[in-house]
Amino acid sequence: VRPAEAFRAEVDSSGGTVRVRERWEGRSSSGQVSWTLTIPAGSDLMIAFETASGDLDASGVGARFNFDTASGDVRLSDMTIAGSFDTASGDLILTEVVVGDDVDMDTASGDVELRRVRAGSGFAASTASGDVSVEDSEGVLRASSASGSHSQTPPSASVPSSAYRLSDTARRDQVASSGGAPTPVTRA
């Protein structure tokens, strides 16, 4: 970090919430800071993280998050999550994640990639300008893109929609809509 006094870390913990804030001062400050949080197994924590520019990489934990960044990717794997994730410019990538009810993930400019995700009711992932890819996932999901492509695996009929309702039934029915009533789309 240059100059050294340009960066100030604020970490506080109260009532089951760990809050991490990065404060940068001065116009010519620069540098990189990496955070490692070790969470004891079985903890019921809320992790709140705010940064102007930074990625969130998390694996193997069960936690509630409140993540907010102007520029950064969110990469989550092998975990159970709840909370909200917002980035103005960054990708949202979930691999082998169990998503609780009422989880919101938003990016203004970035892709949404969901691989082997089990979603609870009320899960929403959106991008204003990016692609949406859903692979081998199940549950209830609303994924939207204002200007991007949509793809899903296993293959199904072409789905030019902005919302999916995913299920892992024997027929692997897929339901898609563009805002109104869902329109069934079945794998050929």
Side-chain angles (χ1 to χ4, degrees):
V1 175
R2 291 188 202 155
E5 63 274 2
F7 175 78
R8 187 177 77 233
E10 296 176 2
V11 180
D12 61 85
S13 176
S14 66
T17 298
V18 175
R19 184 171 307 278
V20 178
R21 287 191 186 99
E22 295 180 352
R23 301 291 186 217
W24 292 83
E25 298 174 9
R27 293 185 180 171
S28 61
S29 61
S30 65
Q32 182 174 340
V33 177
S34 178
W35 294 88
T36 301
L37 301 176
T38 303
I39 302 168
S43 297
D44 184 29
L45 289 177
M46 164 67 83
I47 300 170
F49 192 84
E50 301 170 16
T51 181
S53 178
D55 296 339
L56 171 65
D57 291 297
S59 178
V61 298
R64 293 173 290 135
F65 287 88
N66 184 348
F67 177 77
D68 189 6
T69 184
S71 176
D73 295 337
V74 174
R75 287 181 290 272
L76 308 175
S77 64
D78 190 30
M79 60 190 297
T80 300
I81 62 166
S84 65
F85 302 82
D86 293 303
T87 179
S89 177
D91 295 335
L92 303 173
I93 303 167
L94 279 65
T95 305
E96 296 185 8
V97 172
V98 176
V99 179
D101 295 338
D102 300 319
V103 173
D104 290 315
M105 303 186 89
D106 299 301
T107 180
S109 178
D111 295 337
V112 175
E113 297 177 21
L114 307 173
R115 300 179 197 113
R116 296 173 302 285
V117 170
R118 289 189 335 200
S121 64
F123 173 47
S126 66
T127 177
S129 178
D131 297 335
V132 175
S133 172
V134 180
E135 177 183 315
D136 295 329
S137 296
E138 62 183 79
V140 178
L141 160 67
R142 178 169 294 281
S144 63
S145 175
S147 65
S149 66
H150 298 89
S151 67
Q152 64 189 52
T153 305
S156 68
S158 175
V159 181
S161 69
S162 62
Y164 303 93
R165 180 180 175 90
L166 304 170
S167 63
D168 194 22
T169 62
R171 293 183 332 155
R172 286 210 181 263
D173 290 345
Q174 306 286 324
V175 178
S177 75
S178 58
T183 305
V185 178
T186 305
R187 190 168 97 175

